[in-house]
Amino acid sequence: MSAPDRTGRAPAPTGPLSTIDYSERIPNNVNLAGDRKLQRALESWQPKFLDWWKALGPALPTKDVYLRTAIAVGRDGWAHFDHVPMERYRWGIFLAEQDPERTIAFGQHKGEPAWQAVPGEYRAELMRLITVQGDTEPASVEQQRVLGATAPSLYDLRNLFQVNVEEGRHLWAMVYLLQAYFGREGREEAEQLLKRNSGDLDSPRILGAFNEETTDWLQFFMFTYFTDRDGKYQLGTLKESAFDPLARTCEFMLKEEAHHMFVGTTGVQRVVERTVQKMVELDTADQAVLLQAGVIPLEVVQKYLNFQYSVSMDLFGSERSTNVAAYYTAGLKGRWQETRRKDDHELHADTREVTLVRDGHFVQETVPMLTALNLDLRDEYVADCANGVRRWNQELENAGLPQRLFLPHEGFHRKVGSYSSSCISPDGRVIDQAEWDANVDSWLPLDADRAAVSALMVAHYEPGEFASWIAPPKTGINDQPVEFDYVHLAEEGLTA
Ligand code: BYC
């Protein structure tokens, strides 16, 4: 049984309810019907969400899309695939099953039972973490709003929309927590999540990367590779949270997140595959010739990679952060795979080296481990990012080409943390402003690069057809053929 929280409200989750109740207006496995007040609050938020979706969600008019919908949270068979009109997608509230024996794995409350209610002393911090997480979800949908107009295929269009509806559901997940556990303030925060907008000068999204434009599909693939991967790691730390409803929510979100990163990994890989084919066929690496031949030159792919990787690195916060130390000690946010770590899970005596820039040189400083936990997480992320790059380079290696893509140095183009006041080249040299200015055009996408990429982005809406700049995938979605009619456009969409 869940204990009432300190706002006096009874939180909804009552235990494992593996099957999701689709008879409800808001599908859920948290027994929403048993909490009328919460149900009313969510039902009054629902039309605002739908208005937001209509105004700032996918712009391309569609009849229906072959989408995955969560139907259960158990280990097997959690998803159902079918053509559904997007505005009738069953966004809902799904938590992973509860482990009634779960105890807190780290921090000063280690060993105590996981919390089913919000402890008053951590209310503000928990609400902040949930709000930041919630803010990113609709932001990404806003960023990707216009991409449908230039989709390279129906397969890719469907993947874009799948990512969009699931980010919408992740917003629901955070709104549920805010409304169920944080009273009036939580309801107000839930409203704000729809009012801040990506790139809005007066009311921007909270974190930097979520105010950048997603200009084209190459950037979308880089976003789902690098930025969604930050999502994976941040959700992985919140999945360890002592606050059990947050942990269970994030655990289920991570299931959906895997497909988003698949879209990024395979998307970039298919771009590289096409470029490599043309490089071999035409025996050239010349950018202008390759663009003329309808593919994206590797230098441009590298610039997009440099950009998205560096803004995503900023999402981990500072290398030295008292915030993260406090979150960890309180039990709000753990480490990646906390329970598999072989240490005392309190870390008071531990230290680690952090790289800083001093007088134009990299220096190492030893800091308490607790304050370096953003870096601990970022290191896991960097190692994971490198795997995809290796996979992309395999295309080049297989074709016998000498060029390689690479992750720029962790200090390159940073706005947050210890590198943010220095100029650092992609190959990891501290340089002066003049050298930065002289070279930045070859490191980050120029307007001209984005324009050249955009010029290639012509929509392909015939089943099985693909744009020149991207190879078809090896297999379709859910065992359907690649040439399946994944999306039925509305009449207006066809002429868009
Ligand atoms: N931009 O101590 P610091 C996802 C702020 S993505 C702007 O260095 P801290 C998704 C910071 O808020 C995952 N501001 O860092 C992906 C703080 O401000 P306050 C999203 C930034 O607090 C794709 C101040 O600077 N989830 O799910 O240890 C599609 C000093 O901060 C930035 C989360 O992030 C920035 N980049 O860590 C869809 C998890 N970085 O509080 C979805 C929840 C820092 O002093 N959030 N600041 O006013 C957190 O755990 C932490 O807030 C952060 C920052 C990791 C973001």
Side-chain angles (χ1 to χ4, degrees), residues 128-130 132-133 136-137 140 144 167 170 206-210 223 227-232 234-235 237-238 257 260 311 314-324 327 333 374 416:
R128 173 80 183 152
L129 283 173
I130 293 167
V132 171
Q133 181 62 48
T136 62
E137 313 290 359
S140 68
Q144 296 158 13
E167 301 301 6
H170 293 178
I206 297 171
L207 299 178
F210 293 90
F223 184 99
T227 309
D228 277 84
R229 196 169 304 274
D230 168 55
K232 166 182 164 183
Q234 297 293 348
L235 289 174
T237 65
L238 297 175
E257 204 62 48
H260 305 187
V311 298
D314 280 345
L315 292 173
F316 288 84
S318 304
E319 292 81 355
R320 288 169 300 173
S321 164
T322 51
N323 284 350
V324 80
Y327 293 150
K333 186 178 174 186
N374 285 339
V416 174

Side-chain angles (χ1 to χ4, degrees), residues 134-145:
D135 191 73
T136 62
E137 313 290 359
S140 68
V141 177
E142 293 165 358
Q143 288 172 294
Q144 296 158 13
R145 170 173 165 70

Side-chain angles (χ1 to χ4, degrees), residues 179-414:
Q179 296 201 341
Y181 294 94
F182 295 91
R184 190 169 54 77
E185 275 177 282
R187 289 195 291 279
E188 281 165 9
E189 278 296 354
E191 304 270 313
Q192 290 307 316
L193 290 176
L194 297 175
K195 289 195 177 141
R196 283 185 292 271
N197 294 141
S198 178
D200 189 314
L201 290 180
D202 298 323
S203 181
R205 292 294 175 183
I206 297 171
L207 299 178
F210 293 90
N211 289 302
E212 304 289 349
E213 262 182 280
T214 305
T215 48
D216 53 63
W217 280 77
L218 179 58
Q219 185 156 5
F220 169 66
F221 292 135
M222 291 293 179
F223 184 99
T224 42
Y225 187 77
F226 288 112
T227 309
D228 277 84
R229 196 169 304 274
D230 168 55
K232 166 182 164 183
Y233 282 86
Q234 297 293 348
L235 289 174
T237 65
L238 297 175
K239 177 173 97 76
E240 306 290 344
S241 181
F243 180 44
D244 203 41
L246 174 62
R248 291 168 56 207
T249 301
C250 292
E251 190 177 334
F252 189 69
M253 287 163 75
L254 276 165
K255 266 186 195 242
E256 292 167 319
E257 204 62 48
H259 175 69
H260 305 187
M261 282 170 295
F262 163 86
V263 169
T265 314
T266 54
V268 179
Q269 179 163 12
R270 289 163 53 216
V271 171
V272 174
E273 189 183 330
R274 275 307 276 139
T275 302
V276 165
Q277 279 168 6
K278 277 284 167 210
M279 287 171 78
V280 171
E281 188 187 312
L282 303 176
D283 191 19
T284 187
D286 186 281
Q287 292 198 45
V289 175
L290 290 169
L291 279 168
Q292 190 62 38
V295 296
I296 305 174
L298 289 178
E299 290 85 347
V300 177
V301 174
Q302 181 68 54
K303 286 185 187 185
Y304 273 62
L305 185 164
N306 289 349
F307 176 80
Q308 202 64 40
Y309 178 65
S310 55
V311 298
S312 303
M313 292 285 273
D314 280 345
L315 292 173
F316 288 84
S318 304
E319 292 81 355
R320 288 169 300 173
S321 164
T322 51
N323 284 350
V324 80
Y327 293 150
Y328 186 84
T329 303
L332 310 183
K333 186 178 174 186
R335 287 172 295 173
W336 179 250
Q337 299 200 319
E338 181 67 48
T339 49
R340 293 200 200 162
R341 307 264 188 140
K342 303 244 174 305
D343 53 33
D344 71 358
H345 302 275
E346 292 191 51
L347 311 178
H348 291 303
D350 297 359
T351 58
R352 74 159 283 175
E353 302 269 286
V354 172
T355 307
L356 308 172
V357 181
R358 211 165 277 143
D359 302 326
H361 297 284
F362 293 119
V363 293
Q364 301 289 314
E365 192 169 292
T366 304
V367 301
M369 179 61 103
L370 279 171
T371 60
L373 290 180
N374 285 339
L375 183 53
D376 180 84
L377 187 65
R378 204 183 73 196
D379 285 349
E380 299 281 346
Y381 168 81
V382 169
D384 195 3
C385 286
N387 291 330
V389 180
R390 265 195 291 280
R391 200 171 148 170
W392 303 334
N393 280 334
Q394 198 62 49
E395 297 288 340
L396 290 154
E397 200 172 324
N398 292 348
L401 294 176
Q403 293 88 345
R404 294 290 179 269
L405 296 166
F406 63 94
L407 293 178
H409 184 268
E410 62 183 22
F412 171 72
H413 186 233
R414 297 295 307 280

